[in-house]
């Protein structure tokens, strides 16, 4: 076995995913190099160069890293995707971190940390950005007055909406409409 492959297995290096797979002879399971399962003994590891070879030799795919799937998203990525989906479907409602975490069956602290690591912003920042993006669309493509737009996207009052909109976009909602539609 190449020393480089062994180092990748020990380090759970995702840069080697797709380059090789490894089977653990004592368990009959094969994994991606990035798998976070317990590191096997080096003498029990067999290297494969595609995801079909181990199956032919009788190894079964790991349930954690799913080497049998061509694309694989991590549990953390799945959590963030679900959070984004919940936020996107409920952007106009009052949805706090605790509510979102409860919906996803995780702790608020864990959700906050994972979301921020994956998205470089908190769930509340993502929600605010979502509301502003939808507000921009409503301002340009409907005849709603700004108070109606504010309530439609989930703001409790139009002054707060106007303040947040100006901070994010650089214009007040009315200035934004005038600049982009001329009306």
């Amino acid at each position: 076995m190449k020393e480089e492959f062994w180092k990748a297995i020990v380090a759970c290096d995702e840069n080697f995913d797709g380059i090789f797979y490894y089977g653990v002879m004592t368990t009959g399971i094969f994994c991606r190099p990035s798998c976070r399962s317990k590191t096997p003994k080096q003498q029990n590891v067999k290297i494969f160069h595609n995801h079909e070879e181990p199956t032919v030799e009788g190894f079964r795919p790991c349930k954690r890293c799913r080497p049998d799937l061509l694309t694989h998203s991590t549990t953390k990525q799945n959590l963030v995707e679900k959070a984004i989906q919940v936020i996107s479907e409920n952007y106009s409602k009052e949805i706090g971190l605790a509510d979102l975490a409860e919906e996803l069956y995780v702790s608020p602290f864990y959700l906050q940390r994972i979301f921020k690591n994956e998205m470089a912003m908190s769930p509340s920042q993502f929600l605010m950005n979502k509301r502003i993006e939808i507000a921009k669309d409503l301002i340009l493509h409907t005849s709603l007055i700004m108070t109606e737009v504010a309530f439609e996207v989930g703001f409790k009052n139009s002054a707060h909406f106007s303040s947040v909109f100006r901070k994010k976009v650089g214009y007040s909602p009315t200035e934004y409409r005038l600049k982009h539609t001329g009306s």
Side-chain angles (χ1 to χ4, degrees), residues 30-168:
F30 76 100
C31 297
R32 297 172 189 269
S34 64
C35 189
R36 298 278 180 197
S37 60
K38 185 179 173 188
T39 304
K41 292 182 178 176
Q42 188 171 3
Q43 67 265 23
N44 294 331
V45 172
K46 183 169 184 179
I47 299 298
F48 300 99
H49 296 286
N50 65 53
H51 69 281
E52 291 146 0
E53 288 176 12
T55 307
V56 170
E57 290 197 26
F59 288 86
R60 63 186 187 283
C62 172
K63 290 182 181 177
R64 177 178 279 178
C65 70
R66 298 301 309 265
D68 52 326
L69 302 178
L70 294 179
T71 59
H72 174 69
S73 57
T74 66
T75 306
K76 292 176 184 176
Q77 290 167 330
N78 289 338
L79 176 64
V80 170
E81 288 169 11
K82 287 177 186 171
I84 288 171
Q85 181 182 357
V86 171
I87 291 169
S88 297
E89 291 171 356
N90 299 287
Y91 68 88
S92 64
K93 299 175 187 164
E94 186 67 35
I95 183 164
L97 181 62
D99 302 321
L100 185 57
E102 186 177 327
E103 173 93 16
L104 299 170
Y105 304 104
V106 295
S107 84
F109 306 106
Y110 180 74
L111 177 61
Q112 175 85 355
R113 186 176 45 130
I114 297 304
F115 198 97
K116 200 160 191 168
N117 285 346
E118 294 285 323
M119 298 296 294
M121 68 178 77
S122 69
S124 62
Q125 290 169 318
F126 181 85
L127 172 62
M128 200 60 66
N129 288 345
K130 183 76 173 171
R131 287 177 172 171
I132 295 301
E133 286 307 309
I134 292 170
K136 286 166 48 178
D137 188 55
L138 290 172
I139 289 168
L140 296 181
H141 299 103
T142 69
S143 59
L144 294 173
I145 61 172
M146 296 311 150
T147 304
E148 293 170 327
V149 171
F151 293 142
E152 186 73 26
V153 298
F155 284 88
K156 297 250 184 251
N157 68 60
S158 57
H160 183 235
F161 166 67
S162 185
S163 170
V164 171
F165 193 93
R166 180 181 293 278
K167 186 176 176 185
K168 296 270 185 196

Side-chain angles (χ1 to χ4, degrees), residues 14-34:
E14 63 188 35
N15 294 318
F16 284 85
D17 284 359
I19 295 173
F20 77 93
Y21 299 85
Y22 71 93
V24 182
M25 293 180 281
T26 54
T27 63
I29 295 173
F30 76 100
C31 297
R32 297 172 189 269
S34 64

